[in-house]
Amino acid sequence: MAKNPTSGGSEDVSSDAQGGSQDKKSLVVCFGEMLIDFVPTVGGVSLAEAPAFKKAPGGAPANVAVGISRLGGSSAFIGKLGADDFGYMLADILKQNNVDNSGVRFEPTARTALAFVTLRADGEREFLFFRHPSADMLLLESELDINLIKKAGIFHYGSISLIDEPCRSTHLAAMGIAKKSGCFLSYDPNLRLPLWPSEEAARKGIMSIWDQADFIKISEDEIRFLTGGDDPDDDNVVLNKLFHPNLKLLVVTEGSEGCRYFTKEFKGRVAGVKVQPVDTTGAGDAFVSGIVNSLASDLNIIQDEKRLREALLFANATGALTVTERGAIPALPTKEAVLQFLQKLNA
C-alpha cells in the first residue's frame, strides 16, 4: 500500500495541469447513450417485488463524461435524447455537472431510453430496458458536432451505439473524424446482452471496431463472452486473443479485486480497494473516468509503469467509492474525495 501517497501526489500535479488549461489535449468527448435508470428504493428485490423506484440519470458514456468532470477534468457528451421531460432533464444534468452538452440533439419522434435496474442481495444488477426505439438509437451522422469531436484529445465510446442504425453509422463516422483529428480512442464495450439481437451479433458488433482503439477497458465476464468461454484470469488469453497491434493500453477490471493492465512493454496487477457495496451501478464507468481523466492529463503515463499503476490505483478508488452509494451519476466522487479515501486507506 506504499503507493497511495505517491498516487495522491502525482494525481494532484496532473489534474492541476489539466484544470488550468482547456486545450485540445485535455478535452474528453464521450459518445453514445444517456438514459434514465429506475432503481428500487430497497436493495435485494426483484423488479416485481420492488415497492417503489427512484429515478437516476445513467448511460455509460454519459456517466464517464460526468465522472471526468467531477474529477476536475474537461468533458463533453454527444448523443440523442427524446424531446421529452426526461430528455431535457438529462441535458440539464450534464450542464449542472459542467459537461459540455452542445453535442446533444433532441428527437421529437422517440422517447428518452429507460432502464429498470434491480439490485440483488449481493449488490449486482439486473436490467429491463425500454428502447423501442429510443432517441439515442436515432442519432444521424448529419447531427454530429464535428468541431466538438475535433477539439477532443480523447474520444470515448461503448458498443451499445453499434447495435442499431442509424446510430451505428453515426458512431463509425464519429470515430473516423476523431481518428483523423489525432484523437486517442478509448473503448469500453460495456456488454448489455439483452439489447443485442443475439449473442453472435453482440460478439461480432463489439469486435468490429476492436482494432481501432488505443485504450480498451474490459471486464472478466466480457473476456469470457468475447473469447467463447476462455479463462479471463489467463494473461495469455488476453494477450493472444484481445491485445492488438494498435492498442496502447488494455485494462481488465476485476471488481473489488482491482485490475490488470497490459501494454506493449509491460503487464501487471493493481489490487482493489475494499468497501461495503450498496449498489455496483456505475462502478465500471467511475473506474473508466478515473483512468481516462489521468490519460487526458498526460498520455505518457502509458510508458511509465510506476505512474500508470498510480493512475490505476486512483481509478480503482474512484470505482470503489461509487459503489458505496445508490445510482451511477449521483454516486460519482470528486477528486478530493478519492484522494482523502486513499489517504485514509494508507493511514
Side-chain angles (χ1 to χ4, degrees), residues 201-229:
R203 213 170 274 122
K204 207 172 151 188
I206 287 170
M207 295 308 290
S208 68
I209 57 168
W210 197 261
D211 60 353
Q212 295 183 56
D214 296 295
F215 163 60
I216 295 175
K217 170 256 170 193
I218 189 171
S219 71
E220 293 176 295
D221 286 344
E222 287 162 348
I223 293 175
R224 243 179 242 111
F225 175 74
L226 292 174
T227 60

Side-chain angles (χ1 to χ4, degrees), residues 32-36 79-84 90 105-115 129-140 160-161 163-167 195:
E33 70 283 356
M34 187 175 194
L35 54 125
I36 304 275
K80 203 172 208 184
L81 300 167
D84 52 47
L90 291 175
R105 303 291 177 257
F106 295 92
E107 174 56 54
T109 70
R111 298 286 190 215
T112 300
L114 309 178
F129 292 97
F130 287 75
R131 301 170 86 239
H132 308 98
S134 53
D136 58 285
M137 299 154 71
L138 303 177
L139 183 68
L140 302 169
I160 289 172
S161 40
I163 299 173
D164 293 282
E165 292 293 357
C167 191
L195 295 180

Side-chain angles (χ1 to χ4, degrees), residues 25-48:
K25 286 195 169 55
S26 70
L27 177 67
V28 180
V29 172
C30 300
F31 175 95
E33 70 283 356
M34 187 175 194
L35 54 125
I36 304 275
D37 285 333
F38 283 96
V39 187
T41 50
V42 295
V45 294
S46 69
L47 284 177

Side-chain angles (χ1 to χ4, degrees), residues 301-346:
I301 62 171
I302 291 172
Q303 272 87 51
D304 181 337
E305 189 167 12
K306 180 177 179 288
R307 288 175 66 211
L308 179 61
R309 289 181 64 87
E310 288 165 1
L312 288 168
L313 177 63
F314 184 89
N316 281 347
T318 307
L321 271 179
T322 304
V323 307
T324 61
E325 287 184 45
R326 282 194 205 286
I329 284 176
L332 292 164
T334 62
K335 187 184 129 213
E336 290 68 32
V338 179
L339 293 177
Q340 264 180 347
F341 179 58
L342 284 168
Q343 268 170 345
K344 245 188 241 165
L345 283 178
N346 199 50

